[in-house]
Amino acid sequence: QVQLVESGGGLVQPGGSLRLSCTASGSGFSIQTMGWYRRAPGKQRDLVASITSGGIAEYADSVKGRFTISRDNAKNTVSLQMNSLKPEDTAVYYCNIWWNMVQNSWGQGTQVTVSS
């Protein structure tokens, strides 16, 4: 089994920045795609960004140019650098990974609140 631990959420003013990190731990696993999703109040959980093991990244249109996803394969870590944050970015952010080709795991979620 793989466990995910997230960190880095919090309260930030509009225009500010936050960095989320997620580390996978366990044994006998190989990670393929890593990503971040978010669920805003009253809405469904949506993909924010994802990155393949080869470093190919994709982003939701709403965050392009503001968010950057990166990963460290040696440390089984994925990060999300969020700049120019807006109130509409307020949500619970979840780390997600595909591992051993068919297994999928979620982090516990971390709250990001953008407010003045």
Side-chain angles (χ1 to χ4, degrees), residues 14-53:
S17 298
L18 281 175
R19 185 176 180 87
L20 306 181
S21 292
C22 172
T23 299
S25 62
S27 61
F29 67 98
S30 175
I31 301 174
Q32 286 74 59
T33 300
M34 307 182 83
W36 289 93
Y37 288 71
R38 68 186 181 187
R39 177 178 284 155
K43 297 187 177 181
Q44 66 182 19
R45 184 158 52 186
D46 291 325
L47 177 67
V48 176
S50 65
I51 185 167
T52 68
S53 56

PDB file of all heavy atoms in Angstrom, residues 14-53:
ATOM      1  N   PRO A  14      -5.150  37.519  -1.704  1.00  0.00           N
ATOM      2  CA  PRO A  14      -5.157  37.512  -3.171  1.00  0.00           C
ATOM      3  C   PRO A  14      -3.855  38.077  -3.733  1.00  0.00           C
ATOM      4  O   PRO A  14      -3.330  39.085  -3.224  1.00  0.00           O
ATOM      5  CB  PRO A  14      -6.351  38.396  -3.515  1.00  0.00           C
ATOM      6  CG  PRO A  14      -7.273  38.249  -2.344  1.00  0.00           C
ATOM      7  CD  PRO A  14      -6.369  38.139  -1.145  1.00  0.00           C
ATOM      8  N   GLY A  15      -3.348  37.414  -4.757  1.00  0.00           N
ATOM      9  CA  GLY A  15      -2.071  37.798  -5.335  1.00  0.00           C
ATOM     10  C   GLY A  15      -0.877  37.120  -4.708  1.00  0.00           C
ATOM     11  O   GLY A  15       0.241  37.225  -5.230  1.00  0.00           O
ATOM     12  N   GLY A  16      -1.097  36.436  -3.625  1.00  0.00           N
ATOM     13  CA  GLY A  16      -0.012  35.768  -2.920  1.00  0.00           C
ATOM     14  C   GLY A  16       0.327  34.410  -3.510  1.00  0.00           C
ATOM     15  O   GLY A  16      -0.232  33.994  -4.533  1.00  0.00           O
ATOM     16  N   SER A  17       1.247  33.733  -2.842  1.00  0.00           N
ATOM     17  CA  SER A  17       1.733  32.439  -3.308  1.00  0.00           C
ATOM     18  C   SER A  17       1.709  31.411  -2.187  1.00  0.00           C
ATOM     19  O   SER A  17       1.845  31.753  -1.005  1.00  0.00           O
ATOM     20  CB  SER A  17       3.177  32.571  -3.817  1.00  0.00           C
ATOM     21  OG  SER A  17       3.259  33.441  -4.913  1.00  0.00           O
ATOM     22  N   LEU A  18       1.552  30.168  -2.595  1.00  0.00           N
ATOM     23  CA  LEU A  18       1.674  29.024  -1.699  1.00  0.00           C
ATOM     24  C   LEU A  18       2.324  27.892  -2.468  1.00  0.00           C
ATOM     25  O   LEU A  18       2.189  27.813  -3.699  1.00  0.00           O
ATOM     26  CB  LEU A  18       0.313  28.550  -1.174  1.00  0.00           C
ATOM     27  CG  LEU A  18      -0.358  29.313  -0.030  1.00  0.00           C
ATOM     28  CD1 LEU A  18      -1.741  28.739   0.227  1.00  0.00           C
ATOM     29  CD2 LEU A  18       0.482  29.287   1.226  1.00  0.00           C
ATOM     30  N   ARG A  19       2.965  27.011  -1.722  1.00  0.00           N
ATOM     31  CA  ARG A  19       3.558  25.814  -2.330  1.00  0.00           C
ATOM     32  C   ARG A  19       3.054  24.579  -1.592  1.00  0.00           C
ATOM     33  O   ARG A  19       3.230  24.471  -0.379  1.00  0.00           O
ATOM     34  CB  ARG A  19       5.080  25.863  -2.288  1.00  0.00           C
ATOM     35  CG  ARG A  19       5.760  24.699  -3.007  1.00  0.00           C
ATOM     36  CD  ARG A  19       7.272  24.878  -2.991  1.00  0.00           C
ATOM     37  NE  ARG A  19       7.971  23.790  -3.677  1.00  0.00           N
ATOM     38  CZ  ARG A  19       8.213  23.774  -4.970  1.00  0.00           C
ATOM     39  NH1 ARG A  19       7.838  24.787  -5.736  1.00  0.00           N
ATOM     40  NH2 ARG A  19       8.862  22.750  -5.529  1.00  0.00           N
ATOM     41  N   LEU A  20       2.427  23.696  -2.336  1.00  0.00           N
ATOM     42  CA  LEU A  20       1.953  22.422  -1.778  1.00  0.00           C
ATOM     43  C   LEU A  20       2.945  21.324  -2.128  1.00  0.00           C
ATOM     44  O   LEU A  20       3.513  21.327  -3.218  1.00  0.00           O
ATOM     45  CB  LEU A  20       0.583  22.061  -2.348  1.00  0.00           C
ATOM     46  CG  LEU A  20      -0.532  23.097  -2.228  1.00  0.00           C
ATOM     47  CD1 LEU A  20      -1.828  22.541  -2.824  1.00  0.00           C
ATOM     48  CD2 LEU A  20      -0.728  23.520  -0.800  1.00  0.00           C
ATOM     49  N   SER A  21       3.108  20.390  -1.204  1.00  0.00           N
ATOM     50  CA  SER A  21       3.965  19.238  -1.448  1.00  0.00           C
ATOM     51  C   SER A  21       3.249  17.971  -1.016  1.00  0.00           C
ATOM     52  O   SER A  21       2.413  17.986  -0.109  1.00  0.00           O
ATOM     53  CB  SER A  21       5.289  19.372  -0.690  1.00  0.00           C
ATOM     54  OG  SER A  21       6.070  20.413  -1.215  1.00  0.00           O
ATOM     55  N   CYS A  22       3.602  16.879  -1.667  1.00  0.00           N
ATOM     56  CA  CYS A  22       3.006  15.579  -1.360  1.00  0.00           C
ATOM     57  C   CYS A  22       4.088  14.521  -1.539  1.00  0.00           C
ATOM     58  O   CYS A  22       4.744  14.471  -2.584  1.00  0.00           O
ATOM     59  CB  CYS A  22       1.842  15.316  -2.298  1.00  0.00           C
ATOM     60  SG  CYS A  22       1.139  13.652  -2.202  1.00  0.00           S
ATOM     61  N   THR A  23       4.248  13.690  -0.513  1.00  0.00           N
ATOM     62  CA  THR A  23       5.252  12.633  -0.556  1.00  0.00           C
ATOM     63  C   THR A  23       4.579  11.281  -0.411  1.00  0.00           C
ATOM     64  O   THR A  23       3.743  11.086   0.482  1.00  0.00           O
ATOM     65  CB  THR A  23       6.292  12.819   0.554  1.00  0.00           C
ATOM     66  OG1 THR A  23       6.951  14.071   0.380  1.00  0.00           O
ATOM     67  CG2 THR A  23       7.331  11.708   0.514  1.00  0.00           C
ATOM     68  N   ALA A  24       4.952  10.379  -1.293  1.00  0.00           N
ATOM     69  CA  ALA A  24       4.434   9.019  -1.258  1.00  0.00           C
ATOM     70  C   ALA A  24       5.417   8.111  -0.530  1.00  0.00           C
ATOM     71  O   ALA A  24       6.628   8.201  -0.740  1.00  0.00           O
ATOM     72  CB  ALA A  24       4.213   8.503  -2.668  1.00  0.00           C
ATOM     73  N   SER A  25       4.866   7.241   0.307  1.00  0.00           N
ATOM     74  CA  SER A  25       5.716   6.290   1.029  1.00  0.00           C
ATOM     75  C   SER A  25       5.090   4.908   0.999  1.00  0.00           C
ATOM     76  O   SER A  25       3.882   4.752   0.858  1.00  0.00           O
ATOM     77  CB  SER A  25       5.926   6.753   2.474  1.00  0.00           C
ATOM     78  OG  SER A  25       4.691   6.794   3.163  1.00  0.00           O
ATOM     79  N   GLY A  26       5.919   3.916   1.143  1.00  0.00           N
ATOM     80  CA  GLY A  26       5.469   2.544   1.114  1.00  0.00           C
ATOM     81  C   GLY A  26       6.596   1.680   0.591  1.00  0.00           C
ATOM     82  O   GLY A  26       7.765   2.063   0.648  1.00  0.00           O
ATOM     83  N   SER A  27       6.243   0.518   0.054  1.00  0.00           N
ATOM     84  CA  SER A  27       7.279  -0.357  -0.503  1.00  0.00           C
ATOM     85  C   SER A  27       6.746  -1.048  -1.742  1.00  0.00           C
ATOM     86  O   SER A  27       5.533  -1.248  -1.882  1.00  0.00           O
ATOM     87  CB  SER A  27       7.727  -1.390   0.540  1.00  0.00           C
ATOM     88  OG  SER A  27       6.639  -2.213   0.922  1.00  0.00           O
ATOM     89  N   GLY A  28       7.651  -1.345  -2.641  1.00  0.00           N
ATOM     90  CA  GLY A  28       7.298  -2.122  -3.813  1.00  0.00           C
ATOM     91  C   GLY A  28       6.358  -1.420  -4.771  1.00  0.00           C
ATOM     92  O   GLY A  28       5.460  -2.038  -5.341  1.00  0.00           O
ATOM     93  N   PHE A  29       6.562  -0.107  -4.935  1.00  0.00           N
ATOM     94  CA  PHE A  29       5.691   0.604  -5.852  1.00  0.00           C
ATOM     95  C   PHE A  29       6.496   1.443  -6.834  1.00  0.00           C
ATOM     96  O   PHE A  29       7.591   1.891  -6.529  1.00  0.00           O
ATOM     97  CB  PHE A  29       4.693   1.488  -5.099  1.00  0.00           C
ATOM     98  CG  PHE A  29       5.311   2.644  -4.349  1.00  0.00           C
ATOM     99  CD1 PHE A  29       5.339   3.909  -4.910  1.00  0.00           C
ATOM    100  CD2 PHE A  29       5.850   2.462  -3.086  1.00  0.00           C
ATOM    101  CE1 PHE A  29       5.889   4.979  -4.219  1.00  0.00           C
ATOM    102  CE2 PHE A  29       6.411   3.519  -2.394  1.00  0.00           C
ATOM    103  CZ  PHE A  29       6.437   4.778  -2.958  1.00  0.00           C
ATOM    104  N   SER A  30       5.889   1.663  -7.982  1.00  0.00           N
ATOM    105  CA  SER A  30       6.456   2.499  -9.020  1.00  0.00           C
ATOM    106  C   SER A  30       5.374   3.484  -9.458  1.00  0.00           C
ATOM    107  O   SER A  30       4.289   3.078  -9.856  1.00  0.00           O
ATOM    108  CB  SER A  30       6.908   1.668 -10.211  1.00  0.00           C
ATOM    109  OG  SER A  30       7.346   2.490 -11.265  1.00  0.00           O
ATOM    110  N   ILE A  31       5.687   4.763  -9.369  1.00  0.00           N
ATOM    111  CA  ILE A  31       4.686   5.789  -9.629  1.00  0.00           C
ATOM    112  C   ILE A  31       4.717   6.217 -11.091  1.00  0.00           C
ATOM    113  O   ILE A  31       5.783   6.468 -11.651  1.00  0.00           O
ATOM    114  CB  ILE A  31       4.921   7.023  -8.731  1.00  0.00           C
ATOM    115  CG1 ILE A  31       4.849   6.629  -7.254  1.00  0.00           C
ATOM    116  CG2 ILE A  31       3.890   8.109  -9.039  1.00  0.00           C
ATOM    117  CD1 ILE A  31       5.206   7.760  -6.315  1.00  0.00           C
ATOM    118  N   GLN A  32       3.545   6.295 -11.666  1.00  0.00           N
ATOM    119  CA  GLN A  32       3.427   6.829 -13.015  1.00  0.00           C
ATOM    120  C   GLN A  32       3.022   8.311 -12.921  1.00  0.00           C
ATOM    121  O   GLN A  32       3.835   9.147 -12.624  1.00  0.00           O
ATOM    122  CB  GLN A  32       2.424   6.018 -13.839  1.00  0.00           C
ATOM    123  CG  GLN A  32       2.944   4.661 -14.286  1.00  0.00           C
ATOM    124  CD  GLN A  32       2.999   3.653 -13.156  1.00  0.00           C
ATOM    125  OE1 GLN A  32       1.998   3.345 -12.535  1.00  0.00           O
ATOM    126  NE2 GLN A  32       4.188   3.076 -12.885  1.00  0.00           N
ATOM    127  N   THR A  33       1.781   8.618 -13.085  1.00  0.00           N
ATOM    128  CA  THR A  33       1.345  10.013 -13.071  1.00  0.00           C
ATOM    129  C   THR A  33       1.087  10.501 -11.647  1.00  0.00           C
ATOM    130  O   THR A  33       0.541   9.767 -10.828  1.00  0.00           O
ATOM    131  CB  THR A  33       0.077  10.189 -13.916  1.00  0.00           C
ATOM    132  OG1 THR A  33       0.349   9.791 -15.249  1.00  0.00           O
ATOM    133  CG2 THR A  33      -0.398  11.631 -13.907  1.00  0.00           C
ATOM    134  N   MET A  34       1.484  11.719 -11.366  1.00  0.00           N
ATOM    135  CA  MET A  34       1.188  12.391 -10.101  1.00  0.00           C
ATOM    136  C   MET A  34       0.408  13.657 -10.415  1.00  0.00           C
ATOM    137  O   MET A  34       0.639  14.301 -11.463  1.00  0.00           O
ATOM    138  CB  MET A  34       2.478  12.749  -9.356  1.00  0.00           C
ATOM    139  CG  MET A  34       3.411  11.575  -9.164  1.00  0.00           C
ATOM    140  SD  MET A  34       4.914  11.991  -8.238  1.00  0.00           S
ATOM    141  CE  MET A  34       4.302  11.854  -6.554  1.00  0.00           C
ATOM    142  N   GLY A  35      -0.495  14.022  -9.521  1.00  0.00           N
ATOM    143  CA  GLY A  35      -1.295  15.196  -9.820  1.00  0.00           C
ATOM    144  C   GLY A  35      -1.921  15.822  -8.591  1.00  0.00           C
ATOM    145  O   GLY A  35      -1.827  15.291  -7.484  1.00  0.00           O
ATOM    146  N   TRP A  36      -2.543  16.955  -8.841  1.00  0.00           N
ATOM    147  CA  TRP A  36      -3.269  17.685  -7.812  1.00  0.00           C
ATOM    148  C   TRP A  36      -4.685  17.953  -8.307  1.00  0.00           C
ATOM    149  O   TRP A  36      -4.876  18.375  -9.450  1.00  0.00           O
ATOM    150  CB  TRP A  36      -2.590  19.014  -7.484  1.00  0.00           C
ATOM    151  CG  TRP A  36      -1.302  18.855  -6.749  1.00  0.00           C
ATOM    152  CD1 TRP A  36      -0.050  18.788  -7.288  1.00  0.00           C
ATOM    153  CD2 TRP A  36      -1.132  18.736  -5.335  1.00  0.00           C
ATOM    154  NE1 TRP A  36       0.886  18.630  -6.304  1.00  0.00           N
ATOM    155  CE2 TRP A  36       0.242  18.612  -5.086  1.00  0.00           C
ATOM    156  CE3 TRP A  36      -2.013  18.750  -4.254  1.00  0.00           C
ATOM    157  CZ2 TRP A  36       0.770  18.481  -3.798  1.00  0.00           C
ATOM    158  CZ3 TRP A  36      -1.493  18.616  -2.978  1.00  0.00           C
ATOM    159  CH2 TRP A  36      -0.119  18.480  -2.761  1.00  0.00           C
ATOM    160  N   TYR A  37      -5.641  17.717  -7.444  1.00  0.00           N
ATOM    161  CA  TYR A  37      -7.042  18.026  -7.688  1.00  0.00           C
ATOM    162  C   TYR A  37      -7.487  19.003  -6.611  1.00  0.00           C
ATOM    163  O   TYR A  37      -6.833  19.168  -5.583  1.00  0.00           O
ATOM    164  CB  TYR A  37      -7.894  16.758  -7.604  1.00  0.00           C
ATOM    165  CG  TYR A  37      -7.733  15.807  -8.760  1.00  0.00           C
ATOM    166  CD1 TYR A  37      -6.562  15.062  -8.927  1.00  0.00           C
ATOM    167  CD2 TYR A  37      -8.749  15.629  -9.696  1.00  0.00           C
ATOM    168  CE1 TYR A  37      -6.411  14.193  -9.987  1.00  0.00           C
ATOM    169  CE2 TYR A  37      -8.618  14.752 -10.766  1.00  0.00           C
ATOM    170  CZ  TYR A  37      -7.442  14.037 -10.893  1.00  0.00           C
ATOM    171  OH  TYR A  37      -7.307  13.169 -11.947  1.00  0.00           O
ATOM    172  N   ARG A  38      -8.624  19.609  -6.841  1.00  0.00           N
ATOM    173  CA  ARG A  38      -9.195  20.471  -5.814  1.00  0.00           C
ATOM    174  C   ARG A  38     -10.709  20.392  -5.828  1.00  0.00           C
ATOM    175  O   ARG A  38     -11.317  20.153  -6.865  1.00  0.00           O
ATOM    176  CB  ARG A  38      -8.743  21.923  -5.981  1.00  0.00           C
ATOM    177  CG  ARG A  38      -9.268  22.634  -7.215  1.00  0.00           C
ATOM    178  CD  ARG A  38      -8.628  24.017  -7.335  1.00  0.00           C
ATOM    179  NE  ARG A  38      -9.121  24.743  -8.503  1.00  0.00           N
ATOM    180  CZ  ARG A  38      -8.625  25.902  -8.916  1.00  0.00           C
ATOM    181  NH1 ARG A  38      -7.610  26.473  -8.249  1.00  0.00           N
ATOM    182  NH2 ARG A  38      -9.126  26.493  -9.987  1.00  0.00           N
ATOM    183  N   ARG A  39     -11.271  20.612  -4.647  1.00  0.00           N
ATOM    184  CA  ARG A  39     -12.724  20.656  -4.505  1.00  0.00           C
ATOM    185  C   ARG A  39     -13.088  21.936  -3.774  1.00  0.00           C
ATOM    186  O   ARG A  39     -12.755  22.106  -2.594  1.00  0.00           O
ATOM    187  CB  ARG A  39     -13.251  19.448  -3.739  1.00  0.00           C
ATOM    188  CG  ARG A  39     -14.758  19.505  -3.503  1.00  0.00           C
ATOM    189  CD  ARG A  39     -15.243  18.274  -2.788  1.00  0.00           C
ATOM    190  NE  ARG A  39     -15.312  17.137  -3.696  1.00  0.00           N
ATOM    191  CZ  ARG A  39     -15.234  15.873  -3.314  1.00  0.00           C
ATOM    192  NH1 ARG A  39     -15.039  15.571  -2.030  1.00  0.00           N
ATOM    193  NH2 ARG A  39     -15.327  14.893  -4.188  1.00  0.00           N
ATOM    194  N   ALA A  40     -13.732  22.819  -4.493  1.00  0.00           N
ATOM    195  CA  ALA A  40     -14.241  24.055  -3.900  1.00  0.00           C
ATOM    196  C   ALA A  40     -15.581  23.765  -3.235  1.00  0.00           C
ATOM    197  O   ALA A  40     -16.251  22.788  -3.580  1.00  0.00           O
ATOM    198  CB  ALA A  40     -14.396  25.123  -4.969  1.00  0.00           C
ATOM    199  N   PRO A  41     -15.985  24.600  -2.286  1.00  0.00           N
ATOM    200  CA  PRO A  41     -17.259  24.382  -1.592  1.00  0.00           C
ATOM    201  C   PRO A  41     -18.415  24.265  -2.571  1.00  0.00           C
ATOM    202  O   PRO A  41     -18.597  25.128  -3.447  1.00  0.00           O
ATOM    203  CB  PRO A  41     -17.392  25.625  -0.714  1.00  0.00           C
ATOM    204  CG  PRO A  41     -15.993  26.056  -0.466  1.00  0.00           C
ATOM    205  CD  PRO A  41     -15.251  25.756  -1.733  1.00  0.00           C
ATOM    206  N   GLY A  42     -19.179  23.193  -2.451  1.00  0.00           N
ATOM    207  CA  GLY A  42     -20.345  22.998  -3.282  1.00  0.00           C
ATOM    208  C   GLY A  42     -20.063  22.548  -4.701  1.00  0.00           C
ATOM    209  O   GLY A  42     -20.986  22.488  -5.528  1.00  0.00           O
ATOM    210  N   LYS A  43     -18.818  22.228  -4.990  1.00  0.00           N
ATOM    211  CA  LYS A  43     -18.454  21.819  -6.350  1.00  0.00           C
ATOM    212  C   LYS A  43     -17.810  20.434  -6.352  1.00  0.00           C
ATOM    213  O   LYS A  43     -17.450  19.899  -5.319  1.00  0.00           O
ATOM    214  CB  LYS A  43     -17.512  22.842  -6.973  1.00  0.00           C
ATOM    215  CG  LYS A  43     -18.125  24.224  -7.148  1.00  0.00           C
ATOM    216  CD  LYS A  43     -17.212  25.148  -7.918  1.00  0.00           C
ATOM    217  CE  LYS A  43     -17.858  26.500  -8.140  1.00  0.00           C
ATOM    218  NZ  LYS A  43     -16.984  27.416  -8.922  1.00  0.00           N
ATOM    219  N   GLN A  44     -17.654  19.889  -7.543  1.00  0.00           N
ATOM    220  CA  GLN A  44     -17.027  18.586  -7.665  1.00  0.00           C
ATOM    221  C   GLN A  44     -15.505  18.731  -7.609  1.00  0.00           C
ATOM    222  O   GLN A  44     -14.975  19.831  -7.733  1.00  0.00           O
ATOM    223  CB  GLN A  44     -17.426  17.929  -8.980  1.00  0.00           C
ATOM    224  CG  GLN A  44     -16.903  18.645 -10.218  1.00  0.00           C
ATOM    225  CD  GLN A  44     -17.373  17.982 -11.515  1.00  0.00           C
ATOM    226  OE1 GLN A  44     -18.329  17.228 -11.536  1.00  0.00           O
ATOM    227  NE2 GLN A  44     -16.678  18.256 -12.609  1.00  0.00           N
ATOM    228  N   ARG A  45     -14.839  17.628  -7.415  1.00  0.00           N
ATOM    229  CA  ARG A  45     -13.381  17.627  -7.395  1.00  0.00           C
ATOM    230  C   ARG A  45     -12.858  17.643  -8.836  1.00  0.00           C
ATOM    231  O   ARG A  45     -13.223  16.785  -9.641  1.00  0.00           O
ATOM    232  CB  ARG A  45     -12.856  16.407  -6.644  1.00  0.00           C
ATOM    233  CG  ARG A  45     -11.364  16.379  -6.482  1.00  0.00           C
ATOM    234  CD  ARG A  45     -10.921  15.488  -5.327  1.00  0.00           C
ATOM    235  NE  ARG A  45     -11.474  14.149  -5.369  1.00  0.00           N
ATOM    236  CZ  ARG A  45     -11.303  13.250  -4.403  1.00  0.00           C
ATOM    237  NH1 ARG A  45     -10.592  13.571  -3.322  1.00  0.00           N
ATOM    238  NH2 ARG A  45     -11.812  12.057  -4.493  1.00  0.00           N
ATOM    239  N   ASP A  46     -12.018  18.599  -9.134  1.00  0.00           N
ATOM    240  CA  ASP A  46     -11.509  18.792 -10.491  1.00  0.00           C
ATOM    241  C   ASP A  46      -9.992  18.709 -10.522  1.00  0.00           C
ATOM    242  O   ASP A  46      -9.315  19.077  -9.553  1.00  0.00           O
ATOM    243  CB  ASP A  46     -11.918  20.166 -11.040  1.00  0.00           C
ATOM    244  CG  ASP A  46     -13.405  20.275 -11.297  1.00  0.00           C
ATOM    245  OD1 ASP A  46     -14.009  19.260 -11.707  1.00  0.00           O
ATOM    246  OD2 ASP A  46     -13.952  21.371 -11.092  1.00  0.00           O
ATOM    247  N   LEU A  47      -9.474  18.288 -11.663  1.00  0.00           N
ATOM    248  CA  LEU A  47      -8.035  18.244 -11.859  1.00  0.00           C
ATOM    249  C   LEU A  47      -7.473  19.653 -11.955  1.00  0.00           C
ATOM    250  O   LEU A  47      -7.997  20.499 -12.677  1.00  0.00           O
ATOM    251  CB  LEU A  47      -7.705  17.474 -13.137  1.00  0.00           C
ATOM    252  CG  LEU A  47      -6.230  17.411 -13.523  1.00  0.00           C
ATOM    253  CD1 LEU A  47      -5.439  16.593 -12.517  1.00  0.00           C
ATOM    254  CD2 LEU A  47      -6.073  16.829 -14.929  1.00  0.00           C
ATOM    255  N   VAL A  48      -6.384  19.886 -11.234  1.00  0.00           N
ATOM    256  CA  VAL A  48      -5.674  21.161 -11.309  1.00  0.00           C
ATOM    257  C   VAL A  48      -4.463  21.027 -12.222  1.00  0.00           C
ATOM    258  O   VAL A  48      -4.264  21.818 -13.139  1.00  0.00           O
ATOM    259  CB  VAL A  48      -5.214  21.612  -9.913  1.00  0.00           C
ATOM    260  CG1 VAL A  48      -4.382  22.889 -10.016  1.00  0.00           C
ATOM    261  CG2 VAL A  48      -6.406  21.814  -8.991  1.00  0.00           C
ATOM    262  N   ALA A  49      -3.654  20.005 -11.965  1.00  0.00           N
ATOM    263  CA  ALA A  49      -2.452  19.788 -12.759  1.00  0.00           C
ATOM    264  C   ALA A  49      -1.989  18.357 -12.573  1.00  0.00           C
ATOM    265  O   ALA A  49      -2.233  17.756 -11.517  1.00  0.00           O
ATOM    266  CB  ALA A  49      -1.340  20.750 -12.350  1.00  0.00           C
ATOM    267  N   SER A  50      -1.316  17.837 -13.584  1.00  0.00           N
ATOM    268  CA  SER A  50      -0.747  16.501 -13.485  1.00  0.00           C
ATOM    269  C   SER A  50       0.607  16.482 -14.181  1.00  0.00           C
ATOM    270  O   SER A  50       0.897  17.345 -15.026  1.00  0.00           O
ATOM    271  CB  SER A  50      -1.669  15.460 -14.108  1.00  0.00           C
ATOM    272  OG  SER A  50      -1.792  15.672 -15.494  1.00  0.00           O
ATOM    273  N   ILE A  51       1.419  15.493 -13.820  1.00  0.00           N
ATOM    274  CA  ILE A  51       2.744  15.374 -14.417  1.00  0.00           C
ATOM    275  C   ILE A  51       3.108  13.897 -14.523  1.00  0.00           C
ATOM    276  O   ILE A  51       2.918  13.123 -13.579  1.00  0.00           O
ATOM    277  CB  ILE A  51       3.788  16.172 -13.606  1.00  0.00           C
ATOM    278  CG1 ILE A  51       5.153  16.150 -14.299  1.00  0.00           C
ATOM    279  CG2 ILE A  51       3.868  15.686 -12.171  1.00  0.00           C
ATOM    280  CD1 ILE A  51       6.125  17.167 -13.728  1.00  0.00           C
ATOM    281  N   THR A  52       3.593  13.517 -15.699  1.00  0.00           N
ATOM    282  CA  THR A  52       3.975  12.130 -15.916  1.00  0.00           C
ATOM    283  C   THR A  52       5.360  11.848 -15.344  1.00  0.00           C
ATOM    284  O   THR A  52       6.086  12.764 -14.962  1.00  0.00           O
ATOM    285  CB  THR A  52       3.983  11.812 -17.411  1.00  0.00           C
ATOM    286  OG1 THR A  52       5.059  12.540 -18.033  1.00  0.00           O
ATOM    287  CG2 THR A  52       2.663  12.192 -18.070  1.00  0.00           C
ATOM    288  N   SER A  53       5.722  10.589 -15.326  1.00  0.00           N
ATOM    289  CA  SER A  53       7.041  10.221 -14.827  1.00  0.00           C
ATOM    290  C   SER A  53       8.143  10.809 -15.700  1.00  0.00           C
ATOM    291  O   SER A  53       9.267  11.017 -15.236  1.00  0.00           O
ATOM    292  CB  SER A  53       7.175   8.699 -14.764  1.00  0.00           C
ATOM    293  OG  SER A  53       6.925   8.124 -16.029  1.00  0.00           O
TER     294      SER A  53
END
